[in-house]
Amino acid sequence: MYKSTDAGKTWKQIGLSDSRQIGRILVDPRDANRVFVAALGHAYGPNQERGVFRSKDGGAHWQKVLFHDENTGAIDLAFEPGNPKTIYAALWQTRRPPWSIYSPSNGPGSGLYRSTDGGDHWQAVKGNGLPSEGLGRMGIAFALSNAKRIYLIVDAKEGGLYRSEDGGQNWQQVSKDHRIWGRGWYFNEVTIDSKNPDIVYVPNTSIYRSVDGGKSFSVFKGDPTGPDYHELWIDPDDSKRMIVSCDQGAVVTHNGGETWSSWFNQPTAQFYHLATDSQFPYWVYGAQQDSGPAATPSQSKYRFLNFHDWRPLEAGDENGYIAPDPLNPGVIFGGFVSRQDLSTEQNQEMPPTIAQSGSFRRTWTLPLVYSPLDPHVLYFGSQVLFRTADGGSSWQEISPDLTREDSGVPSNLDPATAADAPVGKRRGVIYTIGPSYVKEGEIWAGTDDGQIQLTQDEGKSWQNVTPPELTPWSKVTHIEASHSEASTAYAAVDRHRLEDYQPYLYRTRDFGKSWQRASNGIPDGSFLNCVREDPFRKGLLYACTEKGVYVSFDDGDDWQSLQLNLPVTSVRDLVVHEDDLVIATFGRSFWVLDDVTPLRQIDARAAAADVWLYRPATAYRVRSGSDQGTPVPDDEALAENPPNGAILDYYLKEKTVGPIQLEIFNSNGRLVKRFSSDDEVRKVNPDDLPFPASWVREQQRLSTEPGMHRFVWDLRYPLPKGVRASFWRPSGPLALPGNYTVQLTAHGKNSTQPLTVKMDPRVKTPQEALMQQFEMATKLSAREGEVSMALRQIAELRKQIDARKKEASEKADVAKALEELSQKLEAMTAQERDGGFGLFGLAIPSKEQEPLPKVASALNGLMSIVESADVAPTEDANTASAKWDKAAEATLARWAELQNKDLASANAVLQKANLKPVAATETAAH
C-alpha cells in the first residue's frame, strides 16, 4: 500500500508489502483515517497477507479483519451509502499455474461476506437466490440513490448479474447475458448511475449499459477489437461525468458518454518484445497487449516524437514477436506467423503448422527470430522449432519436442488449480530461440518448463544442456548467444511462477557442459526477462528485469543498476541497436538510452582518472525536426528526439576549481568552436517572445561538478561576432562531414579524442557540393557579422549623439553638426516599410547604396536559403550572394568613410565646445 498527502506528487509506502495484488481500497467518507483494503494476495502461491485489512490511523497500522485461508484473497469491497458500518466483501480463491491456460482456477474459498459493525465481525452471505457452484470473482455495487439496492456481478456456473432490493437479504438473477460476465476472472465490475438506480454499467470487452435495472443490456462504449474496460467511476454529484479505465489508459466524459477524451495522450503501452530495423533513423516495433502491434521511428522529422510518427501494424497481433525482414526494408513478420508489406499494407497469413502433422502447443507469446548469420533464415518456436528460408512460403520442423516429458505439478499450486490442468503430461513450449552470431548451424532453445537445448548442425541433432539446478517450470525467458565465442551463451530464467522471485542468470563457456550463476548485484524481486551482450565489447551485458535495467562490465560476475531516469517498471525486452539501448516495457511503452559508447569504454584507467574524455560515437549531420507549420501542442503526448549533433561525454573525479573548456578542431587543426563552463548562458526572457518560453531550448552549460557529463555540439560553427542568436537562428554554418578532434581542458590537463561526422545516409549530395554550400554559408555569415557590428556601432553612436544634443542645447553650431551627423546615420539605417513575406520578395540590390538593415536582412535571408537543404547553392543563390556581398562591401565602405570624415568633423566641433567626443564603439551581441 502507498499513500500520498500532496495530491499524488510524492508517495510513501504504508505496509501490506506481501499482499502483492490489491483489488479495492475504501476510505470512510466520514473518517479519512479509516481505510479498508481488499488484498487478493500472491497470484502463484499461498500467503498469509491476504483478505480484508482495516486501518484506523491512515495506514500506519493494519488489522486483518476478514481472512478465509492462505489460498483465498479479497477482490472487492463496498460501503452501504450513508452507513460505512455496513460493508460487503467479495473473497476469491484463485491461482495462476505455470503452464499456459486462459482462465485461472476458482476455488471453494470464494464467497460474499457482510459486516454490520465496521468490520469487526463478518457473516457469509449465501443462498436466498445467490449461486454457489463454481463460484469465482464477484463485483459489488450499491445504488447511491437507493441504499437498499445492491448489484452483484458473479462468475459462477450460474453466472450473471444479481440484484437485491433489501440490502442483501434476498437476491434475484436479473441477467444471464454472457457478454457482461464472460471472462469474469478478468473483469466483473459493476457501476450504478449516481442518480438513477435502474441505470447499470458493466465493463467488459465493451462497456454495457442497462436502463431497466439490469434486465437487458446494450453496448455503451467499445469497438470490434475489444479494448478491455476494467473500471468505471461516476461522479456522485453529476452522473454525466465519468472516468473509464481500460488497457489503453483512462478516458473522461462530461456529457454522459456522447464524447470522450483521448487515451492516445498516455504512454501506457504494454510491450512483450521489441525489434529494430536497418532504416535510418531506425524504427522500433512491438506488439502491445490489447492495443495491437505498433511501430515508431527512433527520431522524428518533427520537433518531438508524436502521434504523427506512430503507426499501427497487423503482423504481431497483441502478443507476438515482430521480426523485420533484413533483406526487404518495409516488410515484417509477426505473431503466429504473418507477413506484412508496409508499402501495400497486405498482411499474408503463413502459420508454420499448416503443412505439418500433429498437434502443436502454444502459449501467449511464441518466439520468432531471424538468424544473425543468414538473413534468409527465420525461426519460430512451438514445442518444436520451425525454420523457413524462403520468406515463409515453406516451413520445416528442425527439432523434436524440446520440452520436458513430464513437468509435473509444482508444490505452490492449490488442489483446485492442480485439478484444472490440461490433459497430457507435456505442457511446455519453446519460449526463446538464440541463434549463434559466430557459428553457422548453432542454435540455443529455452523452454517455459525449464529446459535448454542446443544444436550445432542446424537442427539435425540436439543436446539437452539444461543446468542441473533448473527445476521444472523454470521459464527460460531469453537465451543470448555470444557475439564473439561459439561456446558461450547466457540464459535468463524466471521462476516467479514458482513463487521464487530471485534473479537467475546462467552463463556457459563450454557449449552448456557447465553453467555458472551470474546474477550477483541484481536484487531479489527483480526476476529476469532478458539478457543481451553488447556486440562491440565482449563481456558487457545488459539485463532487463521486472523492475528495471542492469549492466555488467565483467561478463555477468557483478551487476549494477542502469536505471537513470527510467521509471520503476517491468522491462520485458532489450535490443542493442548500434550505439543505442532500446527497451520494451509492460505499461510504460518504448524507451531509448541514446549512445552507450561510454559504457563500452569504461575500464580501470577511466575509473581512476581525474579527468576523462570518452571517444565520441560517429555523429550524423541530420536536419533538426520541425513542425511543418502546424506544431503539435505541448499538452499532447510528446517524446524527446535523440540529441542532434555530436554527443561528447566526459568524467570529472572532483569539482574543478577553474573553468573547463571543450574545443572542436577540424582536420587542419583550425578551431571550429570553443565552449567554456564560464560562458555566459543567455536566459530566455518570456517577455521578449511572442510565444511561450517552453518552445525555446535553453543553452547548455559545461558542468564542472564531479561525475559523468554529456554535452552536445550541434555541428554548427559559432555565430559571427555581432549577430544576435535567435529562436530561428541559434548558431552559425553547419560543419562539413569529415574528421575532427575534440579537446577537453580541465584541472590543467588536456584530453583529446577523434570525432567523425558523417552525412545523413538518406542524403546523397557529394562532398564537393557540400563544400560549396559551406564556403558560401561561411562567407555570408562573416559578412553578416560585419554588417551587424556596424549596426550596433551606429546604435551606440546615436545614443551618444542624443546625450550631446542635450548637453549642447544652447550651442547652435554643435547642435547643427550633430543633427547633420544624425541624418546621415539615419540614411544608413533606414528601415523598409514592407519587409515582404518570408523569403519571397528577396531580390538583388536595387540601389547603388543600400541601407545597412536591408543588407543585414538580405544576408540573413540568403543564409537561410543556402542552408535550407544539404545541397550546393543554386545558380540564383550564387548570383544573389555575390550581388549582396558587393552591396555589403559598398555600404560598409560608406560607413568607414562616414567615420573618417563626418564623425571626425563632428568631434572637432564638440572638442571646440569643450564637449566629450562621440565614438563608434563596439557592443556585444546578447
Side-chain angles (χ1 to χ4, degrees):
M1 281 290 296
Y2 290 81
K3 179 181 180 180
S4 173
T5 56
D6 54 11
K9 293 178 182 177
T10 60
W11 292 84
K12 179 183 178 182
Q13 188 172 0
I14 57 170
L16 303 185
S17 58
D18 195 43
S19 60
R20 296 271 169 83
Q21 329 292 326
I22 301 287
R24 183 74 68 195
I25 302 170
L26 284 187
V27 180
D28 189 332
R30 298 176 180 176
D31 180 0
N33 286 317
R34 188 167 173 266
V35 184
F36 290 84
V37 168
L40 185 60
H42 292 200
Y44 292 95
N47 75 304
Q48 292 294 318
E49 198 166 77
R50 54 170 63 197
V52 178
F53 291 83
R54 180 182 64 193
S55 175
K56 296 181 179 179
D57 53 12
H61 302 88
W62 294 94
Q63 177 188 5
K64 188 190 298 183
V65 294
L66 178 60
F67 177 76
H68 186 274
D69 60 32
E70 62 183 6
N71 296 312
T72 304
I75 189 64
D76 205 4
L77 292 167
F79 285 137
E80 179 183 296
N83 179 21
K85 287 284 187 180
T86 297
I87 314 161
Y88 273 78
L91 299 190
W92 183 24
Q93 181 179 343
T94 189
R95 187 71 48 83
R96 269 288 180 193
W99 51 77
S100 179
I101 192 168
Y102 192 58
S103 57
S105 60
N106 292 327
S110 304
L112 184 65
Y113 290 79
R114 176 177 57 230
S115 173
T116 56
D117 57 7
D120 290 335
H121 303 88
W122 296 81
Q123 305 85 37
V125 181
K126 299 179 180 179
N128 299 317
L130 285 178
S132 59
E133 189 174 353
L135 203 60
R137 179 173 179 172
M138 290 176 281
I140 315 162
F142 279 88
L144 291 181
S145 56
N146 180 357
K148 293 302 179 181
R149 179 177 287 190
I150 311 173
Y151 289 90
L152 192 68
I153 187 81
V154 182
D155 181 19
K157 184 177 180 180
E158 296 295 328
L161 183 67
Y162 289 76
R163 190 178 75 198
S164 173
E165 299 288 355
D166 54 11
Q169 300 302 316
N170 297 282
W171 300 83
Q172 62 172 324
Q173 187 182 47
V174 290
S175 177
K176 297 180 180 180
D177 190 337
H178 199 266
R179 297 178 302 167
I180 67 170
W181 71 276
R183 289 203 290 170
W185 57 274
Y186 194 56
F187 299 105
N188 267 29
E189 298 280 349
V190 59
T191 306
I192 315 304
D193 186 279
S194 54
K195 303 298 183 182
N196 187 338
D198 288 329
I199 299 179
V200 185
Y201 298 89
V202 178
N204 204 284
T205 52
S206 292
I207 300 178
Y208 296 91
R209 182 189 188 205
S210 172
V211 295
D212 56 9
K215 296 175 184 177
S216 61
F217 283 86
S218 59
V219 176
F220 175 66
K221 181 174 176 56
D223 64 50
T225 66
D228 288 1
Y229 298 95
H230 292 282
E231 193 81 38
L232 170 64
W233 173 84
I234 300 177
D235 189 331
D237 299 317
D238 180 3
S239 61
K240 289 189 174 182
R241 183 168 170 257
M242 309 176 186
I243 303 175
V244 167
S245 70
C246 64
D247 285 357
Q248 290 79 8
V251 292
V252 179
T253 180
H254 292 276
N255 53 19
E258 292 181 23
T259 58
W260 295 85
S261 63
S262 173
W263 59 46
F264 289 113
N265 57 4
Q266 299 155 58
T268 54
Q270 304 168 82
F271 287 106
Y272 289 98
H273 307 283
L274 73 88
T276 57
D277 65 15
S278 57
Q279 297 184 75
F280 185 92
Y282 64 90
W283 278 65
V284 183
Y285 303 83
Q288 306 176 81
Q289 175 65 42
D290 287 306
S291 292
T296 180
S298 56
Q299 181 172 346
S300 178
K301 60 184 177 182
Y302 304 103
R303 188 172 62 103
F304 288 97
L305 283 153
N306 59 71
F307 59 81
H308 289 305
D309 298 295
W310 312 328
R311 63 150 296 161
L313 304 170
E314 292 290 333
D317 199 38
E318 63 177 303
N319 51 350
Y321 276 69
I322 294 176
D325 189 335
L327 297 176
N328 296 290
V331 172
I332 60 172
F333 291 81
F336 295 116
V337 174
S338 67
R339 176 189 184 275
Q340 185 175 1
D341 187 328
L342 301 181
S343 64
T344 64
E345 301 302 336
Q346 295 280 312
N347 187 48
Q348 181 184 8
E349 298 289 347
M350 44 181 62
T353 59
I354 57 172
Q356 316 296 331
S357 60
S359 177
F360 298 94
R361 297 190 295 275
R362 57 160 287 183
T363 189
W364 190 237
T365 177
L366 291 176
L368 180 68
V369 177
Y370 266 102
S371 165
L373 298 178
D374 186 346
H376 299 89
V377 174
L378 180 64
Y379 302 103
F380 176 80
S382 177
Q383 74 267 30
V384 299
L385 187 63
F386 293 95
R387 177 187 189 272
T388 182
D390 56 10
S393 179
S394 63
W395 293 84
Q396 299 79 43
E397 289 185 38
I398 62 167
S399 82
D401 190 326
L402 297 180
T403 65
R404 293 179 184 265
E405 290 188 15
D406 184 0
S407 300
V409 176
S411 60
N412 55 298
L413 297 189
D414 59 343
T417 307
D420 198 33
V423 177
K425 294 183 177 181
R426 261 191 159 153
R427 300 167 193 162
V429 295
I430 297 170
Y431 200 78
T432 179
I433 306 167
S436 175
Y437 290 89
V438 295
K439 182 183 178 184
E440 294 278 358
E442 180 183 311
I443 311 167
W444 303 77
T447 70
D448 68 345
D449 63 358
Q451 291 209 131
I452 298 176
Q453 305 263 12
L454 171 65
T455 178
Q456 299 188 57
D457 53 15
E458 198 70 15
K460 293 183 177 65
S461 61
W462 288 84
Q463 181 183 5
N464 190 328
V465 294
T466 306
E469 60 266 40
L470 223 58
T471 62
W473 298 115
S474 302
K475 182 195 286 187
V476 184
T477 54
H478 186 250
I479 295 181
E480 174 85 341
S482 169
H483 288 255
S484 57
E485 295 177 347
S487 59
T488 299
Y490 309 89
V493 177
D494 164 21
R495 287 172 48 86
H496 86 275
R497 301 179 304 168
L498 301 175
E499 281 288 271
D500 181 353
Y501 291 82
Q502 293 184 62
Y504 290 93
L505 178 67
Y506 291 92
R507 177 188 63 213
T508 181
R509 292 170 175 155
D510 54 10
F511 294 101
K513 293 176 184 177
S514 63
W515 294 86
Q516 302 83 45
R517 181 93 177 266
S519 48
N520 180 53
I522 303 176
D524 287 358
S526 295
F527 54 84
L528 266 66
N529 292 316
C530 79
V531 60
R532 300 283 185 183
E533 183 185 33
D534 192 284
F536 298 98
R537 174 175 170 174
K538 182 180 177 182
L540 175 58
L541 304 180
Y542 309 100
C544 49
T545 78
E546 192 62 13
K547 294 183 179 179
V549 180
Y550 290 81
V551 62
S552 171
F553 297 96
D554 54 11
D555 207 30
D557 288 340
D558 299 283
W559 291 85
Q560 57 186 287
S561 174
L562 193 60
Q563 200 72 3
L564 303 175
N565 64 327
L566 181 69
V568 176
T569 186
S570 174
V571 183
R572 297 297 179 92
D573 201 357
L574 181 152
V575 167
V576 185
H577 184 95
E578 297 179 352
D579 296 327
D580 294 348
L581 295 189
V582 191
I583 61 171
T585 74
F586 204 72
R588 301 300 290 265
S589 198
F590 291 130
W591 288 67
V592 179
L593 179 57
D594 298 301
D595 190 5
V596 296
T597 52
L599 297 181
R600 295 169 180 160
Q601 300 172 51
I602 290 176
D603 57 18
R605 288 189 309 143
D610 293 331
V611 180
W612 194 268
L613 176 65
Y614 291 89
R615 179 168 183 162
T618 297
Y620 287 90
R621 181 173 135 176
V622 178
R623 294 281 163 169
S624 296
S626 70
D627 283 294
Q628 307 292 311
T630 308
V632 176
D634 283 349
D635 55 1
E636 293 290 342
L638 302 172
E640 288 277 355
N641 276 306
N644 193 359
I647 299 174
L648 310 176
D649 293 289
Y650 63 95
Y651 168 76
L652 301 175
K653 193 171 187 177
E654 297 177 351
K655 180 179 174 63
T656 61
V657 177
I660 67 170
Q661 280 191 163
L662 264 179
E663 295 169 298
I664 318 294
F665 299 91
N666 66 14
S667 58
N668 296 322
R670 294 184 61 185
L671 180 66
V672 172
K673 200 163 186 177
R674 175 184 289 116
F675 303 94
S676 177
S677 58
D678 61 358
D679 285 343
E680 180 185 359
V681 175
R682 188 169 64 94
K683 294 293 184 182
V684 176
N685 184 352
D687 297 333
D688 292 341
L689 298 172
F691 48 79
S694 60
W695 288 77
V696 181
R697 190 178 295 275
E698 293 279 358
Q699 284 181 266
Q700 189 180 6
R701 184 195 294 274
L702 280 174
S703 176
T704 60
E705 296 297 321
M708 283 282 294
H709 301 287
R710 172 163 286 186
F711 189 85
V712 180
W713 171 42
D714 62 4
L715 303 185
R716 286 187 175 274
Y717 280 68
L719 283 168
K721 188 177 181 181
V723 177
R724 181 193 293 266
S726 70
F727 174 75
W728 309 108
R729 187 168 168 211
S731 287
L734 278 164
L736 284 166
N739 296 318
Y740 295 80
T741 299
V742 182
Q743 179 172 286
L744 172 68
T745 303
H747 289 303
K749 301 175 182 178
N750 291 337
S751 306
T752 61
Q753 290 286 3
L755 167 66
T756 300
V757 176
K758 290 185 178 180
M759 197 63 222
D760 183 333
R762 298 166 295 182
V763 176
K764 307 305 179 185
T765 305
Q767 184 78 359
E768 181 182 355
L770 295 173
M771 180 68 78
Q772 294 172 21
Q773 177 192 44
F774 173 74
E775 289 174 350
M776 179 170 287
T778 301
K779 188 174 182 179
L780 287 168
S781 182
R783 186 64 86 185
E784 185 185 4
E786 296 177 45
V787 173
S788 295
M789 185 56 67
L791 283 167
R792 292 185 179 280
Q793 291 172 337
I794 291 173
E796 178 62 25
L797 181 58
R798 293 173 75 170
K799 289 181 184 178
Q800 296 176 43
I801 290 172
D802 289 341
R804 298 300 176 275
K805 283 181 178 180
K806 293 177 182 179
E807 296 169 6
S809 58
E810 297 180 0
K811 298 179 181 180
D813 57 335
V814 174
K816 179 182 178 182
L818 291 175
E819 182 59 29
E820 289 175 351
L821 180 59
S822 291
Q823 289 177 5
K824 291 180 179 180
L825 293 175
E826 180 69 28
M828 289 201 69
T829 57
Q831 299 278 354
E832 286 192 342
R833 291 184 179 180
D834 185 4
F837 187 82
L839 296 173
F840 180 77
L842 177 58
I844 60 175
S846 57
K847 304 175 187 176
E848 186 175 339
Q849 298 284 347
E850 293 283 6
L852 280 168
K854 185 173 182 179
V855 175
S857 177
L859 292 172
N860 187 280
L862 284 168
M863 186 73 177
S864 297
I865 290 169
V866 169
E867 285 216 316
S868 60
D870 296 309
V871 292
T874 63
E875 185 176 340
D876 282 357
N878 282 321
T879 299
S881 295
K883 295 280 188 182
W884 279 106
D885 183 70
K886 188 174 181 180
E889 187 177 15
T891 303
L892 290 169
R894 187 156 59 96
W895 166 233
E897 183 181 8
L898 186 149
Q899 293 178 81
N900 292 332
K901 294 183 178 179
D902 301 273
L903 179 58
S905 176
N907 277 330
V909 175
L910 287 170
Q911 186 176 7
K912 187 176 179 181
N914 293 321
L915 292 173
K916 186 179 178 181
V918 291
T921 56
E922 294 185 3
T923 58
H926 295 286

